[in-house]
Every structure is written in C-alpha cells, then in structure tokens.
C-alpha cells in the first residue's frame, strides 16, 4: 500500500515556524510511504497536479496531506485524488497549520516535534483507510404537511405549485388555523380571512394537494426519502361528497346548542355545524359529544349527506419529507386567577376580542361587555398574560401580543372614538417592518399606555377595578374599567405531542419543538427529512409563519427534487455475528437510525455518523465506516509511540465545535502549549473508553475530550453521553490507583478558541502537578511498603 | 385519627383561644392530638437566616412520625417551606448534623384542612348549624404559600368549610389581601389603611363575622378593631373568629371551651342569635 505524503509550506504560514526539510525527511522513514514531498502551496493547481502525477508514477493508493485544517481543504484534496483515479476517501490530512504552526509560533523545535507526531498519526490512520462509495437511494417525491394553519398552507401551496404532490393533514374539520378566526391583522389592518380564504380554496382545488381534514397521524415509520405514514380520518357523520355546505337545512332543525370553539366560547353553534362560512372543506360536521342522535338533520338534508352511522377511515401513504406545522394553543387565562377570568364576565381574552371585533363574529363586530350587552366605554388591555411569567412556567415572550393589542386598540378606537383605552404593558415590543410606525399611530390615536404589570382585577358593583403599580410614577393605583382584555400568550399545541413523539422531535425548555440550529437552520428538525414551520417551533406572527412555511417547502423540494438521495458513507454498521441484541445503541442513537431485529440494523440513510453507538456497544459489534475503531486506535498508538514531551496529551476533538474552536485558536494566533496530539472525531460521544485506556496504557500522561457545549451537541446528546462515560472512566481510574484527573472533558463552541487554549493550558499545568503517568502508582506502592 | 400537634408560640400568648378551640374541636371530632414535646419556634423569628429557620422547623418535625398539625398559618407556612427545602439532600445533611433526632421527611397539615376533611366525612357532627349566618372567609397570605395547597390567588377551602357548617360565605373581594400585620411596625398608617379596607369590605359584603386562619390576621382584624373605629370615626363591630372557634360553635361546644370571651370584639351576641334561631325552628 504505497502512501504519498505531502507537507505543505503554505507560504510562510507553516514553513515560517516548522522545519519543512526535517518533516519531509521524517515522513520518508514512515512505513509504506512511497514518496514524501514538501510543496509551497499544496492546494494550488501546481500542488494538486504534483499529487496526481505521483499517484500515477508511484502507484499510490492513499495520500496524506499535512497542511491546513481538513475543515478547510479536505474536499479540495478529495476531488484532486479522485481526478487521479483514487477513491476520494483514501485521503487523510494532518493539521499542522491551525493546530500547530499558528499556535506554537514561539517554539519552533517543539512545534516541529508535534508536527512529526501528527504526520505519523495521519500515516498510521491512512494505512487503514478503505475505499467508500456514496450510495444513492431512490426517494418518494411526495411531502406530508401536518397542520393546515397559515404556515402549513404556505408550505403546501409552494410545494404543489413547484410540482410536488402534497398530503395536507389537518386535525380540525377546516384548515385555516387561528388566522382564519382573527379580525384585521397588523401592521396593515387588512381583513384576515379576506387574504387567507383564497389561499384556503386554492389548497382545496389544487390538483397536487390531497387535503385530509379532521384527521390524525397515528404512526410514521422509515426515514428521510421514504417515510411510511399511517393515520385516521375521524367520522364527520357527513358524506363529504354529498354535502353542499349549505348548513341551513340541517343546523336550523338541530335542537342542541353549545359554545362555539371557533368563537372561543362567546358565540354558539349547533351540534351539526360548519366552523365558519369560509371553512375549507365547506362540509358540515357532527359533534358526537353534543349530538343527541335525534336524527332531525338526517331528515332535513335534501342531499341526503348526513350519515350518523359513519365510521372513521384509516389512510396510508408514503412520502419523502415531512413538514410539521402544528402551530400553537392559547394560554389558559383561568390559570392567572388574580385576573378573575371565568369568574368575572367582563374579563375576556384577546382571542375573544378578535371575535367581538369580527364583523362575522357573534356580535357582528360590536365590542360589548358580556355582562350587560352594552358597548364598552373603557377598555383595559393587560399584556403578557401567560408570557414572561415564571409563575405559570412560561418565561418566554409570545412575540405577537404587543402588536395584536396595538392593532385591536386601534380598531376599537376607530370604531368608537370616545372609548377610553389603556394598554398595561411591561415592555412594548414593536420590532419588525412597519411595527414601530404602527405603535406611533396608536399613540396618536389617543390610546393610553401605562407601564405596569397588573397585580389583580377586582369586581365591585359590576365594575372592574385594576390594581397595579404604575412603574413610571411609582404609584399604586386602582382604576375602573368596563372591559378587561387579557393578552394571552402562545403555548405549544399539546395535541402535537403525539406527532412529536412519533417523529422523535426534541423540545426546547419552553416546550416548543427544537430546530436543528437556532440561527443557521431555522426550519429543519434534528431528524433528516423533517422540517418545522410556523408556531410549532415558537411564537411567530403571520408573515414569519408564511416565510417559514415557504422555507420548509424549499428545503423539502431541494431534498427530493432529484428523486434520489446521495448518502455520505459516514454511517455506522453492525457486525451481525457479534451483536448480542442488548439495544443499548437503539436508546443512544439521536437519529433513531438503529433498530434491533435479531441482530441490530442501521438505517444508513438516517445515520449521521456520530459514532456514539459504536462507543457504547459493549461487544464492539458496531463500527463506523469513516473514523473506524481501528483507525482511531492506530492514531492513539502512533501518538504514544514516541514520548518526546511531558506531559503528553492525547486529545479527542469533536468535528463540529471543539475542533472548530482549536482551528479558530489557530486563525486567531492564540498561543498555547505544544503538548496535545489532536485526533478528530465526529462527536465527543464517539470516544470509546477503550481509546482512552489505550492512550494511558501506552504512556500518555493525560487524555482530553472536547465536545460542543452542553445543549449544543450537533447530535443532540453525544456530549452528555461522553460526560457519562468519562465519569465512569474516572471511577475506574481511581480504582486502579491512577489520578482520575488524567482524563478531562471540556466544552467549547466553535467560536471559543480562547477557551480551548485556556483549558488546554490549564490541563497541562494540572498534569505537571501530577507528574508523569504512573507516578501515583509508585507513590501508592511506596506507601504500602512502608 | 391521631395527629402530632404543634401549637406554635401564639398559643402561649395572644392566641390562647386559638389553642383552646383547636384542642376542643379536635376532641369533638374524635381526633387525638399528641403535642410535640419540647417544641420550639417554627422558624418565623429567624426568616433572615435560612439555615437557622429550616433547622428550627426540622427539630420540631423530626420528633414524630405522625402528620404534624398546626392551627397557625405562619407556622404552617414555615414548616412547609422548611420541608420543601429539606428535600435538598445537602441541606438535609447539614441540618441533621446538629439534630438529636434525625429529620427524614414530614407531612404537615393545617387545622382548617383537618377539620374540613373530618366534617365532610361526617356531616352529622354539626349539631348547631350556622344557618343563615353570613361569614366573610378571610385567608390572608400564608395559608396557601408556598404553593401546593389550594390556589394562592383564589382559594376556596374556607368557603367549603363554611358550607359544611351551613353558614353562608359572602363574596369577599379582599379575602386574600394582606392583613397589614407584616408592615405594622415600620408603616403603621399603611397597615391600618389596609386593615380598615378589609374590615369595611367584609361589612359591605354583608358579613356578620369574619373567620381567620392566622393569629397575625386575627390581631389586626380583631384586637385593633376598636382603635380603628375610634380613629376613623366609624362603627365596625365585626366579630373575628378563628376557624376552630367557628367550627366549635357548630359542633355545639360552649363559649368557655372555645375561649370566645377572649376575642376583643365579642362573638357572644352572634352565638346567641344562632341559638335563638335554632330554638325558633324547633
């Protein structure tokens, strides 16, 4: 197996510190090395051509490039050797710039020594590389959108217009979500249903959309590209094909009246009902909880559409991607008992006010006091009810309520100029295009603003009294109003828990679904092929929800448009003979890619190659195609082959954060000691205790494991698992008489080069204190002898 | 039923009627009280030092395996706070270092909840129904804090008990309003304003009496009522009874057993009215 080694000068970036001749000569002495060269710029065309020429001339079958970080130029050199006819995965890089010459500028001799070790480690790993093929799998080009609110509608329409078939599954009898129930919407005060209804009908009529309303998803199996979806359409007790949506005939004879959930309890509906006139599909629905089975509607319907014996229907289909747009639910205002919601009739929620203001609502647009039916002349808006409030477990801001109250206050003021309106707020948040202008407009209309969190509402002689401290004047006040509107916050929809569990979505501490990266990947879930749009991942205004729906559609389209997926060959695989079916790996896998069906099996399309399963397998039955056990072990052995530095540290750095942090320390030229020999792994969770013990056994004075900060692992929980293993390892070390401090685990984000350098320096100091490995054993023996 | 009894310091000073009526009512309900031996302060006197406050409470609680009952909301709140804090293993270990008897968890009950439970199971024990008597249920602040018993903002347990006694709870707006007691020393005027507001609100709601669960509330509403009447030039005349006293009346206990003559505003005329009404009906 002839190996070519190329040591890069990178101009003076590397050659200015390290002894290039010495490194080249040293590389020549390493086993299997057929040719070693130093190149001024290995990434340049000339450098790449030299490597390609050597591949042909020396019949090289693997290549080591000692240069910059693989995070920078690994793809470049993979392409270069692929051009020369080698498998692109037969490349290994030694990082002698970011993690050597740039961080040890004042110690050229030790730095050169470290570079020799890094090259030796790379060559040892290269000898064990295997050619890997990127496999492609065919994928379904259909998409499931869960939730027919405005985000789901946006996603479904964009995908359908682009030519992909969409299944839109909605839990309620109509799509439209909360937006369909609002009156005018900020910041332009245009009529909500007027802009939404055309979109709803478009969904209904689109040839590429299958709308399944009044239905639940019961199960999802498979992975990206090939999800098998199973669900149930609940019985409406109406034949959807026959119902004309006229509703007059059936509902007019229905004797049962219940509060309408579409008016948030202030209006009424019959047991047979259409949610609202613009509902899609425009089909009646019988509420089985309210229906008394009298059968009058059956007789009244001329289309013969009422079928009280109807059963739920199962459905099944396959899709390539899933967009979760399950939305939100309003905070339950009765939980803030001090405001008396549910006890005082004139205390209402912001959603009820939306319905009062709505011309199609229960009062035909009149803002009345529920207790008297009289027009309200003095209205208080209480902000942050159920938001920014630790006492109800919601410390987050619900983001839309300030603007919604400003909007509703304006609408009331425009309709009833004499009505006195006060908004009680903690902070008024009007960040967004046209929002501040909207706030100013409300001020100019004569709406009052009082900075106070209202402490309680009392009812006395039929009037409401708000008690609060005006924090601008420092006075405690008691002020009378006719009507109090609680601006209730947004909470994650509890009925979406089922979907979350089925898909394995993780949740943030605020209980909303967590996205893959809070900044860079706003609509992707941790699970490949699953996207999240709208309020399912946190409170959002309409425009942002629509943007997210479209973004999720674009992501799904990009994923599926080729009709096949190319898989990175980084996945785990199982030695079926060794597997004892303990299922440890199943629990550990963050991607739910492993199943145990005598023996374990890895879904390579779902696996992201973190390697935590391989580290956890008690019988080493799981290994990785890249970063294999044997390769890492070879690096560990090569790192400890010569011990020319004290303390000698073998360091495992996770690819995403800490390796990035070490690179950043390099680009920032932060100087730190030369003692660490770094080994790149995909995740801190990859570090098998065997690697650590082997390093110590062979004379390393310490082992460093560096992962992403807790809660920021790119594989969700790999760093937690690493921490657990390190804690166990420390106990083991203690038992055999070694100082547990010889194994150290640290967390640093890719932006924390400074922290990486500081932590490493501290570890070097700690190890110096402990002395070379084994000191404590000899001390222990000496003690026993005396 | 057998319960450990923690009377609290007020039982030996300004709240003797609370202690007296508690013992009498429990006896009438068939509840055996075993007073803690050598009990000490609940911790209220050392709230500024968490460790001492928790330690004092723990010393009381460690003496028994029985649920500990107290009629005082201040003690009740302090004991519960301590028990919650002692869930922390480190704090528990620290406290246990100095205790003769080790603390290993406790159940704490308020006399209100004990009486309410016993009466709801055995309504026949009410021999003198408080029919038609309008009572303002006054909770104060500490009964429901820390959270975990009833709602801190809109509790209803007192109303339930009043209905069990066949009294009529009035819609009392200020039922969880601070009694003013905690600020009486530094801000006497503000405290008096508050107390006056509560008394007037109860009166306005049509109450003939106020029922309390806390000795500090009791002092503010009862003992200071006369002085307030003089200062504000307004007749109030509202008897303020401990919940144990009111329950005792319904259980047929006499004024001496319940210490009714120790209240500043005498509840005796009201008791007489109750008996007269009962005589009329029979």
């Amino acid at each position: 197996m002839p190996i070519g080694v190329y040591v890069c000068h990178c101009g003076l970036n590397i050659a200015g510190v390290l002894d290039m001749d010495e490194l080249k000569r040293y590389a020549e002495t390493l086993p299997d090395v057929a040719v070693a060269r130093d190149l001024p710029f290995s990434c340049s065309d000339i450098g790449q051509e030299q490597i390609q020429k050597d591949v042909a001339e020396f019949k090289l079958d693997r290549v080591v490039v000692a240069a910059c970080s693989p995070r920078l130029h690994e793809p470049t050199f993979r392409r270069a050797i692929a051009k020369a006819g080698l498998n692109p995965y037969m490349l290994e890089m030694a990082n002698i710039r970011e993690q050597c010459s740039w961080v040890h500028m004042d110690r050229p001799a030790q730095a050169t020594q470290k570079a020799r070790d890094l090259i030796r480690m790379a060559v040892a790993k290269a000898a064990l590389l295997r050619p890997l093929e990127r496999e492609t799998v065919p994928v379904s080009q259909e998409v499931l959108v869960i939730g027919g609110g405005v985000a789901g509608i946006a996603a479904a329409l964009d995908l359908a217009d682009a030519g992909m078939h969409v299944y839109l599954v909605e839990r309620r009898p109509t799509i439209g979500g909360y937006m369909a129930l609002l009156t005018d919407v900020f910041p332009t005060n245009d009529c909500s249903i007027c802009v939404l209804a055309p979109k709803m009908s478009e969904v209904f009529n689109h040839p590429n959309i299958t709308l399944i309303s009044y239905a639940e998803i019961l199960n999802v199996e498979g992975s990206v590209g090939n999800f098998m979806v199973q669900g149930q359409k609940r019985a409406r007790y109406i034949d959807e094909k026959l119902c004309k949506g006229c509703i007059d005939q059936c509902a007019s004879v229905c004797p049962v009246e219940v509060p309408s959930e579409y008016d948030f309890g202030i209006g009424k509906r019959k047991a047979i009902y259409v949610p609202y006139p613009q509902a899609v599909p425009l089909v009646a629905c019988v509420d089985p909880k309210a229906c008394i089975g009298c059968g009058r509607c059956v007789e009244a319907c001329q289309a013969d559409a009422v079928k009280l014996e109807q059963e739920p229907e199962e459905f099944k289909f396959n899709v390539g991607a899933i967009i979760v747009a399950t939305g939100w639910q309003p905070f339950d205002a009765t939980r803030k008992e001090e405001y008396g919601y549910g006890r005082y009739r004139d205390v209402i929620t912001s959603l009820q006010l939306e319905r009062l203001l709505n011309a199609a609502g229960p009062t035909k647009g009149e803002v009345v006091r529920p207790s008297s039916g009289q027009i309200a002349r003095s209205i208080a808006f209480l902000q942050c009810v159920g938001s920014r409030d630790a006492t109800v477990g919601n410390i987050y801001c619900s983001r839309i309520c300030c603007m919604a109250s400003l909007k509703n206050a304006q609408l009331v003021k425009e309709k009833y100029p004499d009505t006195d309106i006060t908004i009680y707020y903690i902070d008024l948040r009007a960040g967004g295009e046209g929002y501040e202008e909207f706030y100013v407009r409300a001020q100019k209309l004569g709406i009052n603003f009082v900075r106070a969190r209202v402490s309680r509402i009392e009812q006395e002689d039929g009037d409401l009294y708000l008690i609060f401290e005006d924090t601008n004047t420092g006075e405690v006040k008691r002020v009378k109003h006719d009507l109090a509107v609680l601006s209730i916050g947004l909470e994650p929809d509890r009925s979406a828990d089922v979907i979350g569990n089925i898909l394995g979505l993780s949740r943030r501490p605020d209980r909303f679904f967590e996205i893959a990266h809070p900044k860079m990947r706003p609509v992707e879930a941790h699970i490949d092929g699953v996207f999240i749009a709208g309020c399912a991942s946190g409170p959002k205004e309409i425009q942002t929800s629509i943007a997210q729906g479209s973004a999720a559609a674009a992501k799904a389209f990009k994923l599926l448009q080729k009709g096949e997926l190319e898989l990175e060959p980084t996945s785990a695989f199982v030695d079926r003979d060794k597997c004892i079916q303990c299922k440890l790996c199943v629990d550990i896998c963050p991607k739910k890619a492993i199943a145990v069906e005598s023996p374990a099996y890895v879904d390579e399309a779902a696996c992201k190659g973190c390697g935590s399963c391989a580290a956890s397998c008690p019988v080493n039955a799981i290994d990785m195609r890249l970063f294999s056990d044997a390769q890492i072990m070879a690096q560990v052995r090569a790192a400890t082959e010569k011990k020319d530095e004290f303390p000698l540290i073998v360091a495992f750095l996770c690819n995403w954060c800490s390796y990035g942090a070490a690179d950043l320390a390099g680009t920032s030229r932060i100087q730190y000691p030369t003692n660490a020999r770094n080994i790149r792994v995909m995740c801190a969770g990859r570090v098998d205790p065997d690697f650590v013990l082997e390093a110590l056994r062979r004379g390393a004075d310490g082992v460093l494991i560096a992962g992403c900060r807790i809660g920021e692992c790119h594989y969700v929980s790999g760093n937690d698992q690493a921490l657990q293993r390190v804690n166990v390892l420390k106990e083991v070390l203690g038992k055999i008489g070694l100082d547990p401090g010889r194994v150290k685990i640290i967390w640093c984000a890719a932006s924390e080069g400074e922290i990486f350098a500081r932590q490493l320096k501290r570890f070097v100091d700690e190890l110096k204190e402990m002395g070379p490995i084994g000191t404590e054993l000899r001390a222990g023996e000496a003690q026993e002898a005396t | 039923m057998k319960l450990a009894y923690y009377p609290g310091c007020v039982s030996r000073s300004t709240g003797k009627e609370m202690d007296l009526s508690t013992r009498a009512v429990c006896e009438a309900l068939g509840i055996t009280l075993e007073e803690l031996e050598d009990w000490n302060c609940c911790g209220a006197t050392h709230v500024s030092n968490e460790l001492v406050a928790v330690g004092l409470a723990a010393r009381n609680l460690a003496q028994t395996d029985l649920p500990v009952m107290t009629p005082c909301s201040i003690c009740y709140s302090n004991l519960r706070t301590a028990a919650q804090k002692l869930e922390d293993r480190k704090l528990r270990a620290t406290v246990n270092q100095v205790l003769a008897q080790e603390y290993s968890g406790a159940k704490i009950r308020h006399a209100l909840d004990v009486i309410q439970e016993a009466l709801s199971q055995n309504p026949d024990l009410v021999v003198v129904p408080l029919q038609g008597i309008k009572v303002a249920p006054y909770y104060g602040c500490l009964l429901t804090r820390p959270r975990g018993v009833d709602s801190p903002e809109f509790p209803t347990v007192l109303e339930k008990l009043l209905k069990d006694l066949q009294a009529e709870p009035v819609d009392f707006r200020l039922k969880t309003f601070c009694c003013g007691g905690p600020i009486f020393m530094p801000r006497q005027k503000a405290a008096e304003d508050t107390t006056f507001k509560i008394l007037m609100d109860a009166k306005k709601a049509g109450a003939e009496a106020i029922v309390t669960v806390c000795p500090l509330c009791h002092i503010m509403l009862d003992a200071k009522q006369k002085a307030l009447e003089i200062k504000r030039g307004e007749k109030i005349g509202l008897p303020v009874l401990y919940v144990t006293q009111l329950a005792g009346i319904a259980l047929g206990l006499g004024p001496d057993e319940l210490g009714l003559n120790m209240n500043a505003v005498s509840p005796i005329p009201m008791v007489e009215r109750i008996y007269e009404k009962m005589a009329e009906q029979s």
Side-chain angles (χ1 to χ4, degrees):
Chain A
M1 77 175 67
I3 303 175
V5 180
Y6 299 90
V7 188
C8 183
H9 290 230
C10 196
L12 286 176
N13 281 310
I14 295 172
V17 178
L18 307 182
D19 183 340
M20 303 311 285
D21 270 350
E22 151 73 9
L23 291 178
K24 181 193 132 202
R25 276 200 306 272
Y26 177 70
E28 282 168 344
T29 67
L30 292 169
D32 299 320
V33 173
V35 57
R37 294 183 195 279
D38 55 318
L39 303 172
F41 285 101
S42 52
C43 61
S44 68
D45 287 350
I46 302 170
Q48 292 186 42
E49 279 160 21
Q50 181 66 58
I51 295 171
Q52 286 157 351
K53 232 161 63 187
D54 286 351
V55 169
E57 192 183 333
F58 295 94
K59 308 255 176 303
L60 301 180
D61 64 2
R62 48 205 78 206
V63 168
V64 169
V65 181
C68 53
S69 169
R71 281 164 53 102
L72 190 65
H73 271 315
E74 196 173 58
T76 313
F77 293 115
R78 277 192 178 154
R79 272 197 304 274
I81 66 168
K83 248 189 188 166
L86 285 188
N87 181 287
Y89 292 92
M90 301 303 275
L91 169 83
E92 179 61 17
M93 290 187 75
N95 184 341
I96 58 167
R97 190 179 74 171
E98 283 85 344
Q99 298 183 12
C100 191
S101 68
W102 276 351
V103 286
H104 312 308
M105 295 168 99
D106 306 329
R107 297 179 187 172
Q110 285 109 313
T112 302
Q113 190 59 59
K114 175 174 173 179
R116 277 166 56 126
D117 291 357
L118 292 175
I119 293 170
R120 183 169 71 240
M121 289 158 67
V123 170
K125 180 178 178 186
L128 296 167
L129 292 174
R130 277 169 305 191
L132 297 173
E133 295 303 328
R134 284 169 167 248
E135 268 186 63
T136 57
V137 290
V139 294
S140 157
Q141 284 187 300
E142 299 183 300
V143 178
L144 164 65
V145 176
I146 307 174
V150 65
I153 288 174
L157 285 176
D158 278 359
L159 280 166
D161 285 347
M164 271 189 194
H165 184 253
V166 176
Y167 293 95
L168 177 58
V169 176
E170 166 59 45
R171 184 170 57 87
R172 291 174 180 254
T174 177
I175 58 170
Y178 281 100
M179 183 180 170
L181 306 174
L182 304 179
T183 172
D184 301 350
V185 283
F186 64 79
T188 41
N189 289 2
D190 37 3
C191 155
S192 188
I193 191 69
C194 310
V195 290
L196 183 64
K199 297 280 171 196
M200 291 161 67
S201 344
E202 210 180 321
V203 166
F204 186 71
N205 294 315
H206 206 296
N208 281 341
I209 299 179
T210 306
L211 170 61
I212 310 176
S213 59
Y214 210 36
E216 304 273 358
I217 304 289
L218 297 179
N219 197 20
V220 177
E221 280 174 12
S223 58
V224 54
N226 293 288
F227 292 106
M228 279 93 61
V229 181
Q230 211 192 325
Q232 190 185 57
K233 189 167 164 44
R234 292 194 288 175
R236 276 176 185 269
Y237 306 103
I238 301 289
D239 187 327
E240 288 192 25
K241 290 193 194 75
L242 296 180
C243 178
K244 305 279 183 274
C246 66
I247 204 68
D248 298 335
Q249 292 168 354
C250 53
S252 62
V253 297
C254 178
V256 187
E257 225 175 32
V258 291
S260 168
E261 54 273 55
Y262 298 93
D263 284 330
F264 306 106
I266 48 169
K268 291 200 159 59
R269 65 160 170 81
K270 296 295 186 71
I272 185 165
Y273 68 103
V274 164
Y276 42 85
Q278 300 87 350
V280 168
L282 190 60
V283 171
C285 185
V286 177
D287 176 352
K289 278 192 212 121
C291 176
I292 52 169
C294 66
R296 287 198 203 170
C297 52
V298 182
E299 285 165 28
C301 179
Q302 287 173 356
D304 202 15
V306 183
K307 308 283 180 201
L308 293 180
E309 67 292 342
Q310 198 177 51
E311 295 281 323
E313 283 169 50
E314 308 284 319
F315 58 83
K316 254 185 194 172
F317 50 76
N318 285 13
V319 293
I322 298 173
I323 295 174
V324 177
T326 47
W328 57 284
Q329 68 178 30
F331 172 77
D332 174 8
T334 59
R335 291 179 59 202
K336 291 296 285 179
E337 290 168 313
E338 56 268 47
Y339 296 153
Y341 179 75
R343 282 186 282 126
Y344 307 144
R345 292 188 66 193
D346 295 333
V347 177
I348 64 172
T349 68
S350 40
L351 286 174
Q352 289 176 322
L353 180 63
E354 295 280 352
R355 295 308 293 165
L356 289 180
L357 277 165
N358 199 314
T363 56
K364 306 275 181 281
E366 298 293 338
V367 180
V368 300
R369 305 178 67 183
S371 63
S372 64
Q374 302 293 308
I375 303 293
R377 289 298 170 204
S378 166
I379 304 179
F381 287 83
L382 283 73
Q383 297 306 106
C384 302
V385 177
S387 310
R388 305 179 70 191
D389 186 349
T391 63
V392 295
N394 294 344
I395 58 169
Y396 58 87
C397 165
S398 286
R399 195 165 142 172
I400 63 155
C401 331
C402 284
M403 287 299 288
S405 287
L406 287 174
K407 182 260 297 178
N408 287 334
Q410 289 185 21
L411 295 179
V412 175
K413 198 76 183 170
E414 280 165 358
K415 191 164 176 152
Y416 312 101
D418 295 337
T419 294
D420 172 72
I421 299 176
T422 308
I423 297 182
Y424 295 90
Y425 67 98
I426 313 177
D427 296 292
L428 221 304
R429 292 180 173 175
E433 294 85 16
Y435 287 13
E436 185 67 19
E437 295 89 324
F438 195 76
Y439 179 19
V440 172
R441 184 168 182 270
Q443 293 168 2
K444 286 189 178 153
L445 276 172
I447 291 157
N448 305 313
F449 292 86
V450 173
R451 191 160 154 265
R453 171 160 233 158
V454 174
S455 70
R456 57 191 283 133
I457 298 178
E458 293 175 353
Q459 185 174 295
E460 203 178 338
D461 303 330
D463 287 316
L464 299 176
Y465 291 86
L466 269 60
I467 295 160
F468 58 88
E469 180 189 356
D470 181 332
T471 55
N472 283 326
T473 64
E475 288 169 276
V476 176
K477 293 183 179 163
R478 186 164 185 269
V479 174
K480 185 170 131 179
H481 289 283
D482 284 354
L483 185 69
V485 181
L486 308 181
S487 289
I488 46 175
L490 279 61
E491 290 189 332
D493 192 338
R494 239 169 300 151
S495 60
D497 285 356
V498 181
I499 299 293
N501 291 342
I502 291 172
L503 294 174
L505 301 178
S506 32
R507 289 181 178 277
R508 287 194 304 258
D510 63 11
R511 311 185 304 288
F512 287 95
F513 289 132
E514 186 172 58
I515 45 176
H517 187 280
K519 187 174 281 97
M520 305 306 286
R521 298 169 72 193
V523 294
E524 287 155 82
H526 288 292
I527 310 293
D528 269 12
V530 178
F531 305 95
I532 308 175
C535 292
S537 60
K540 286 171 193 75
E541 58 270 71
I542 291 164
Q543 41 274 59
T544 312
S545 292
I546 293 173
Q548 287 216 328
S550 294
K555 288 277 177 193
F557 187 81
K558 184 188 89 172
L559 177 75
L560 303 177
Q561 52 136 351
K562 276 194 206 150
E564 58 181 30
L565 280 182
E566 204 173 56
L567 306 180
E568 268 289 320
T570 51
S571 82
F573 64 98
V574 179
D575 183 334
R576 301 172 70 86
D577 295 332
K578 281 190 191 166
C579 175
I580 53 167
Q581 302 175 37
C582 68
K583 298 189 182 173
L584 262 181
C585 49
V586 178
D587 294 337
I588 272 176
C589 179
K591 299 285 166 181
K592 295 199 177 292
I594 310 182
V596 173
E597 291 165 3
S598 64
Y601 151 86
V602 177
D603 179 347
E604 301 203 2
C607 173
K608 290 283 114 191
C610 71
S612 214
C613 55
S616 75
C617 180
V619 290
N620 287 330
I622 305 189
D623 202 355
M624 310 304 293
R625 299 203 192 278
L626 266 179
F627 301 96
S628 73
D629 278 351
Q631 289 165 6
I632 297 175
M633 214 50 134
Q635 285 173 288
V636 170
R637 290 187 183 124
T640 49
E641 192 176 304
K642 275 191 193 151
K643 195 175 167 183
D644 34 37
E645 215 169 343
F646 169 76
L648 178 67
I649 298 171
V650 174
F652 297 93
L653 310 185
C654 91
N655 183 56
W656 303 106
C657 283
S658 44
Y659 199 89
D663 279 355
L664 181 65
T667 40
S668 320
R669 310 295 197 278
I670 300 167
Q671 304 297 300
Y672 58 82
T674 54
N675 308 58
R677 303 293 177 263
N678 299 346
I679 296 176
R680 180 165 73 125
V681 287
M682 289 306 278
C683 175
R686 173 69 183 98
V687 180
D688 194 318
D690 288 350
F691 305 156
V692 179
L693 292 173
E694 180 72 1
L696 295 175
R697 197 179 64 78
R698 290 177 55 91
D701 300 299
V703 174
L704 181 75
I705 297 161
C708 303
R709 293 191 299 204
I710 289 292
E712 293 179 9
C713 174
H714 286 62
Y715 305 100
V716 186
S717 58
N719 46 7
D720 292 319
Q721 288 161 17
L723 177 62
Q724 271 180 30
R725 289 187 197 118
V726 165
N727 285 340
V728 173
L729 257 173
K730 281 174 180 286
E731 274 179 39
V732 171
L733 292 188
K735 278 190 187 137
I736 59 177
L738 284 175
D739 193 322
R742 293 197 184 272
V743 179
K744 189 181 179 89
I745 188 158
I746 63 168
W747 318 119
C748 38
S751 58
E752 296 178 335
E754 183 78 51
I755 289 181
F756 176 81
R758 207 185 311 144
Q759 291 274 18
L760 187 80
K761 189 169 178 306
R762 190 177 304 161
F763 192 34
V764 167
D765 292 341
E766 287 162 7
L767 290 170
K768 277 183 182 159
E769 190 87 358
M770 285 177 221
I773 182 105
T775 313
E776 56 270 56
L777 291 176
R778 284 189 289 282
E781 281 163 19
Q783 220 167 31
E784 269 173 38
T786 57
Chain B
M1 186 166 56
K2 202 174 184 185
L3 294 170
Y5 179 47
Y6 177 76
C9 62
V10 174
S11 298
R12 298 286 182 271
S13 53
T14 55
K16 286 187 179 135
E17 68 273 38
M18 175 181 82
D19 178 50
L20 210 58
S21 55
T22 302
R23 293 176 193 268
V25 164
C26 285
E27 199 186 329
L29 291 170
I31 297 164
T32 313
L33 295 184
E34 221 170 63
E35 186 173 339
L36 294 178
E37 268 173 52
D38 188 27
W39 52 267
N40 53 259
C41 170
C42 66
T45 51
H46 285 77
V47 280
S48 54
N49 186 332
E50 186 195 17
L51 189 61
V52 177
V54 170
L56 284 168
R59 187 181 167 278
N60 290 321
L61 297 171
Q63 291 190 36
T64 180
D65 295 327
L66 293 170
V68 178
M69 186 196 85
T70 176
C72 167
S73 291
I74 304 172
C75 299
Y76 181 60
S77 176
N78 277 309
L79 295 178
R80 285 183 62 235
T81 303
Q84 280 184 12
K85 285 183 178 166
L86 286 164
E87 288 301 303
D88 179 66
R89 276 161 50 200
K90 257 194 206 154
L91 181 63
R92 189 185 285 206
T94 313
V95 166
N96 273 334
Q97 276 176 8
V98 296
L99 292 187
Q101 261 168 306
E102 195 170 277
Y103 173 84
S104 60
K107 185 166 166 43
I108 299 133
R109 302 190 62 177
H110 195 284
L112 164 62
D113 129 69
V114 172
I115 297 169
Q116 204 268 325
E117 187 190 275
L119 275 179
S120 64
Q121 284 167 6
N122 205 346
D124 294 344
L125 290 173
V126 176
V127 291
V128 183
L130 308 182
Q131 251 166 10
I133 298 291
K134 291 185 174 169
V135 183
Y138 183 65
Y139 292 85
C141 59
L142 285 176
L143 177 72
T144 52
R145 292 179 173 85
R147 278 165 190 264
V149 289
D150 212 347
S151 154
E153 299 295 345
F154 197 73
T156 52
V157 56
L158 263 174
E159 277 92 334
K160 272 186 212 144
L161 177 67
L162 288 174
K163 283 178 188 159
D164 288 341
L165 304 177
Q166 302 187 33
E168 191 184 313
V170 300
D171 184 10
F172 185 26
R173 207 164 42 88
L174 300 185
K175 66 184 185 180
T176 57
F177 217 66
C178 171
C179 68
I183 55 164
F184 188 75
M185 301 285 194
R187 299 278 300 272
Q188 189 176 345
K189 167 83 171 52
E192 283 174 356
D193 285 350
T194 311
T195 312
F196 187 67
K197 213 186 274 181
I198 295 168
L199 287 166
M200 292 313 286
D201 190 57
K203 209 169 153 90
K204 201 176 153 205
E208 295 162 67
I210 298 177
V211 61
T212 66
V213 287
C214 165
L216 186 56
C217 299
H218 194 264
I219 289 183
M220 294 305 291
L221 298 179
D222 183 49
K224 295 196 184 295
Q225 204 180 110
K226 218 27 42 59
L228 270 175
E229 280 181 345
I230 295 164
K231 269 193 191 169
R232 307 282 157 130
E234 194 137 4
K235 178 79 185 146
I236 304 169
L238 265 183
V240 183
L241 290 92
Y242 283 105
V243 68
T244 43
Q245 290 182 305
L246 194 70
I249 296 169
L251 292 171
L253 301 173
D256 291 346
E257 291 168 283
L258 299 171
L260 293 185
N261 52 353
M262 296 183 208
N263 294 40
V265 180
S266 174
I268 303 288
M270 182 187 83
V271 177
E272 282 167 357
R273 277 205 306 279
I274 294 170
Y275 275 90
E276 276 165 24
K277 216 178 220 173
M278 212 167 62
E280 274 169 33
Q281 281 178 358
S282 64

